[in-house]
Amino acid sequence: MNIYVLKCALLIFFSSATPLCNGLLNIFLNTEEVQKLLGLDAELYYVRQGVINQYALNFVIPVSSKIDSLHFTWQNLGNLPLQYNINLDVQHYEAFDAPNLNISKTGLVPTSDQTFSIHLPCTALISSESDVLISINIALIPTPVALKIRRKKICMKIETGLNTQAVDAVPIRINSVKVFYYAAVCAGILAATSVMCIACVYVRNKQTRTAEEAPTNQSFTSFLPTTIRNPTTSSSYSSFRRMPSYSLIEERPTSKDLQDRIAELTIQRCRVCLQNVILEGTFSRVYHGTYTNEGTVEEEVLVKTVTDHASHVQISLLLQEGMSMYALKHPNILSILGVSFQENSSPFLLYPFHNYTNLKVFLQKCKMCSEGVAHTLTTQEVVDMALQIIEAMNYMHKKQILHKDLAARNCVVDNRLKVQITDNALSRDLFPSDYHCLGDNENRPIKWLALEGLISKTFLTRSDVWSFGVLLWELTTLAQQPYVEIDPFEMSAYLKDGYRLAQPINCPDELFAVMAYCWAMHPEDRPTFVQLQVCLKEFYMQLTRYV
C-alpha cells in the first residue's frame, strides 16, 4: 500500500495522543465556539493536559461567510513558562482584510484560562473558499512542538453598484464650496460674471454626472443577483473536515437548523432497545433494535451510533451526516426516524428497519462461498434495482440535494430486492477500503468520484450520474472493488487518459453502454437521471419479453 495512503488512513481512523515533553498545556475550543461552528454543546480539545489530539488537528472545520472571528482558549497548567509563536497562513489574501490576532504573535502562554481571537474579515470582493493555517509553536525542552490548526473560510462576493460615485461626489462638492468660500474671502470680491460662469459650469457638470450615473444604476439594478443559487456547484465535503457528505444545492443548513432538526426528531433513550450488531467499524456500530413509540407500538429499527472512545468530532460528523436526509419522503430513500440522546453516552440515530441488508454486503454474499450462493441475481433484477436507485436520485435532485457519495455501501436492500438509498454516516469507518486520502486530510471515495470532483472538488448533478455508473458496475460484478489495480494517487491521470472500468463478465452490451455513457469526460456529455430512467426502462421491457 502507498505509504501516503497508509499514513492518511491512520490519521483518519485512529486518534493518536502525543504527550508534550516537560509541559502541561490546554488549547481548545470552548462550548460557545463549537456551538457556533458545529452546532454542538461540547468542547473540542487540541491539547488537553499536555496531550496532543492529532485527530482534532487533522479535522478541517469550515467557517461560514457570516463568521469573521475564530476564538481559541488556552492555559499553561505547569510551573514553567511556555513561550509561544503564532503564524497565520491564508490561501487567498485578496479575500480578506488583513487577518490579525488580538494578542501579540509571540509571548508566554497565560497561566489562567484565557481566550484569544483571530479576525478574518472578508473583503466581499471575491467569492472563495480559502484554507487558513494557524501555526502555534510552543518552545519546549528538548523538542519544540508545532501545532497546525486548519480552517476553511468561506467568503462571498457582494455586488455593488456605482452608487459610490454619488457618495464620493458629496465631499467633492463640499470641498469645492470651501475652496470657493476661502477664495472669495481672500479675493474680497468676485465679479458677477465670474459667479455666473462658475454656476453655469457647476450646473452643466452636475447634469452630465447625473446623466452618466442614470444608465449605470439602471444596468446595476437589472443585473442584481437573484435568489436562485447555482444548482451545479457545491463545495466538497472532506471526510473529517467537514461538512456533510450530502450538500444542499441551495444553501447548507446552519447550526441552528441542525439543532432544530435534531430537537424535532429527539426521542427518549428508554424507548430504544438494542439487540444485535449488524455492522461494526473501528469506532462505529450499526445495530438492529426496537423502538416503542408513544402509542406503545413497538417497531424494528436500525440504530447507528459510535463507541464510547469516539471523539467529539466523530460524534459531530455522525449527527451532521445522519441529518442530511432529514424530511425526505420517498419509498426508495431510507430517511432518519429519530435521534436519541443520553448523558455520558453516544447519540443514537434511528432508521426504519424491514429486514434490510447493506447492499454491498448483500452483493458480496451473492458470490460463491462455502455456504453456497445467498441469491443468484439476474440481469432483470439488476436493472430493476438500478431503476429504483434512479427514482430516488430523481427525487433528491428535485429537492435540490446532491448525494456526492452514491455507492452500494450507501444503499440497503430487503428480501424482495427493494432498494433504498441511505446517508453516508459512518461509511468511512465501516468501509475503509472504499475511501482514500490524497495527502489533503480529506478521506474521499476516490474511485467513485467524477473527474471534476476528483480534480477540483466540484460537484454537479451529473457527478452523481458518474457515481451511479460505478454503482451499476458494482451491481453487475457483485460488489467488486472498482479500479482495484490503480493507485488512488494516479486515478485522475488514469481517467484523463480516457481509461475506464472494463465490461464485467456476463454483462450485456446494452447495460455496459449505459455505464460508459455515465463516465463521459465532460459533465454536459453525461445523461441525466431522467434519460437514464427512460433508457433502462426500455431495456427492462426488452428483458421481460424473453421471460
Side-chain angles (χ1 to χ4, degrees):
M1 179 183 292
N2 190 296
I3 186 64
Y4 298 107
V5 177
L6 178 60
K7 180 179 178 182
C8 290
L10 291 174
L11 288 176
I12 291 299
F13 294 110
F14 298 94
S15 175
S16 59
T18 306
L20 296 175
C21 299
N22 301 332
L24 286 177
L25 174 69
N26 277 348
I27 299 179
F28 63 98
L29 304 184
N30 58 30
T31 304
E32 182 180 353
E33 184 73 0
V34 175
Q35 175 69 40
K36 178 178 70 176
L37 294 173
L38 300 174
L40 294 175
D41 292 323
E43 293 178 336
L44 174 60
Y45 276 83
Y46 293 100
V47 181
R48 184 200 289 266
Q49 298 289 327
V51 178
I52 300 174
N53 185 348
Q54 293 289 355
Y55 187 87
L57 289 175
N58 287 313
F59 178 65
V60 184
I61 299 179
V63 182
S64 77
S65 58
K66 299 178 182 178
I67 300 175
D68 288 338
S69 296
L70 308 175
H71 299 85
F72 297 86
T73 305
W74 61 352
Q75 181 183 6
N76 179 3
L77 304 173
N79 297 323
L80 298 176
L82 295 178
Q83 188 168 2
Y84 72 85
N85 175 269
I86 301 179
N87 292 309
L88 301 178
D89 185 12
V90 180
Q91 186 180 25
H92 299 298
Y93 272 100
E94 64 271 19
F96 302 103
D97 282 328
N100 60 81
L101 286 158
N102 71 338
I103 59 173
S104 62
K105 289 190 175 182
T106 60
L108 296 178
V109 178
T111 55
S112 60
D113 216 24
Q114 292 185 16
T115 299
F116 68 88
S117 65
I118 299 172
H119 196 46
L120 289 170
C122 294
T123 61
L125 299 178
I126 64 171
S127 295
S128 73
E129 282 193 4
S130 301
D131 293 324
V132 179
L133 178 62
I134 304 158
S135 300
I136 303 177
N137 301 303
I138 308 295
L140 291 176
I141 299 175
T143 306
V145 172
L147 305 174
K148 297 188 181 299
I149 302 173
R150 294 172 173 81
R151 295 288 185 270
K152 186 174 285 292
K153 182 68 173 75
I154 301 169
C155 287
M156 302 301 296
K157 181 179 181 181
I158 299 178
E159 299 291 345
T160 58
L162 298 180
N163 291 335
T164 51
Q165 280 189 336
V167 174
D168 293 338
V170 174
I172 291 173
R173 288 196 293 269
I174 293 175
N175 291 337
S176 299
V177 173
K178 289 181 179 179
V179 171
F180 175 78
Y181 174 76
Y182 294 135
V185 172
C186 294
I189 189 169
L190 198 62
T193 55
S194 299
V195 173
M196 292 179 63
C197 291
I198 292 172
C200 290
V201 171
Y202 175 82
V203 170
R204 187 168 61 183
N205 286 344
K206 183 177 180 181
Q207 289 175 343
T208 303
R209 187 161 51 244
T210 303
E212 291 174 349
E213 290 177 354
T216 304
N217 290 335
Q218 182 180 5
S219 174
F220 167 71
T221 304
S222 63
F223 287 96
L224 281 174
T226 64
T227 56
I228 300 175
R229 292 167 174 82
N230 187 352
T232 61
T233 59
S234 65
S235 65
S236 172
Y237 142 107
S238 35
S239 64
F240 287 110
R241 109 169 110 92
R242 304 159 356 196
M243 310 176 198
S245 185
Y246 290 80
S247 173
L248 290 182
I249 295 178
E250 290 182 327
E251 190 175 61
R252 299 187 188 97
T254 63
S255 297
K256 185 176 184 303
D257 292 334
L258 182 60
Q259 284 184 310
D260 292 342
R261 294 177 179 185
I262 291 175
E264 183 178 335
L265 294 175
T266 298
I267 60 178
Q268 295 175 312
R269 177 63 60 88
C270 62
R271 297 181 179 274
V272 182
C273 178
L274 301 181
Q275 294 181 353
N276 57 290
V277 177
I278 298 176
L279 291 171
E280 185 172 12
T282 303
F283 61 84
S284 59
R285 291 194 185 108
V286 180
Y287 289 90
H288 171 224
T290 59
Y291 164 62
T292 305
N293 60 30
E294 295 180 359
T296 68
V297 176
E298 187 177 271
E299 57 181 304
E300 292 186 282
V301 292
L302 276 174
V303 180
K304 288 186 178 182
T305 187
V306 291
T307 56
D308 293 336
H309 64 268
S311 68
H312 290 304
V313 174
Q314 291 161 344
I315 295 173
S316 170
L317 296 176
L318 170 68
L319 293 173
Q320 291 183 54
E321 294 176 346
M323 297 301 296
S324 59
M325 302 184 73
Y326 167 85
L328 293 182
K329 303 296 182 184
H330 190 276
N332 296 114
I333 292 179
L334 187 67
S335 298
I336 189 167
L337 179 66
V339 183
S340 175
F341 292 93
Q342 183 172 316
E343 189 175 357
N344 299 323
S345 181
S346 300
F348 288 175
L349 303 187
L350 277 65
Y351 303 81
F353 179 77
H354 300 289
N355 292 320
Y356 291 135
T357 303
N358 181 274
L359 181 57
K360 186 181 181 77
V361 175
F362 168 79
L363 292 172
Q364 291 171 338
K365 288 181 178 179
C366 289
K367 299 176 182 178
M368 291 295 295
C369 59
S370 57
E371 293 80 16
V373 180
H375 182 90
T376 303
L377 280 179
T378 65
T379 301
Q380 187 173 343
E381 288 172 333
V382 167
V383 175
D384 180 62
M385 295 166 76
L387 284 169
Q388 294 180 59
I389 294 169
I390 289 175
E391 291 275 2
M393 291 307 301
N394 270 329
Y395 174 81
M396 288 184 65
H397 285 181
K398 285 179 182 177
K399 292 292 184 180
Q400 300 291 290
I401 299 177
L402 296 174
H403 193 297
K404 302 207 298 184
D405 197 1
L406 185 59
R409 63 185 169 271
N410 292 323
C411 298
V412 293
V413 62
D414 65 11
N415 298 332
R416 297 177 291 107
L417 297 186
K418 177 183 177 181
V419 180
Q420 290 186 308
I421 293 177
T422 71
D423 57 57
N424 69 333
L426 306 182
S427 290
R428 285 163 178 76
D429 185 53
L430 295 172
F431 301 96
S433 61
D434 289 0
Y435 295 86
H436 299 89
C437 174
L438 301 184
D440 55 2
N441 293 328
E442 296 186 20
N443 212 26
R444 297 184 289 157
I446 298 299
K447 298 184 178 182
W448 278 260
L449 289 180
L451 198 57
E452 65 275 3
L454 189 58
I455 296 175
S456 61
K457 300 179 184 178
T458 300
F459 289 90
L460 324 168
T461 54
R462 299 197 190 190
S463 302
D464 281 342
V465 170
W466 179 296
S467 300
F468 171 78
V470 182
L471 172 52
L472 190 54
W473 186 88
E474 288 184 280
L475 289 173
T476 56
T477 61
L478 301 182
Q480 289 184 21
Q481 286 294 109
Y483 305 103
V484 66
E485 73 285 359
I486 307 300
D487 187 287
F489 286 87
E490 299 173 356
M491 273 301 299
S492 59
Y494 185 81
L495 296 176
K496 280 182 180 178
D497 289 341
Y499 294 102
R500 298 293 186 269
L501 290 166
Q503 182 171 353
I505 299 174
N506 298 326
C507 174
D509 293 341
E510 295 87 345
L511 197 55
F512 183 67
V514 172
M515 299 180 203
Y517 194 17
C518 295
W519 301 327
M521 187 81 73
H522 301 289
E524 60 271 17
D525 294 333
R526 298 171 207 152
T528 64
F529 277 109
V530 174
Q531 291 171 322
L532 286 171
Q533 186 177 37
V534 172
C535 182
L536 286 181
K537 275 187 175 179
E538 182 178 345
F539 182 52
Y540 184 81
M541 293 301 296
Q542 292 177 5
L543 292 172
T544 57
R545 293 193 189 107
Y546 299 101
V547 177

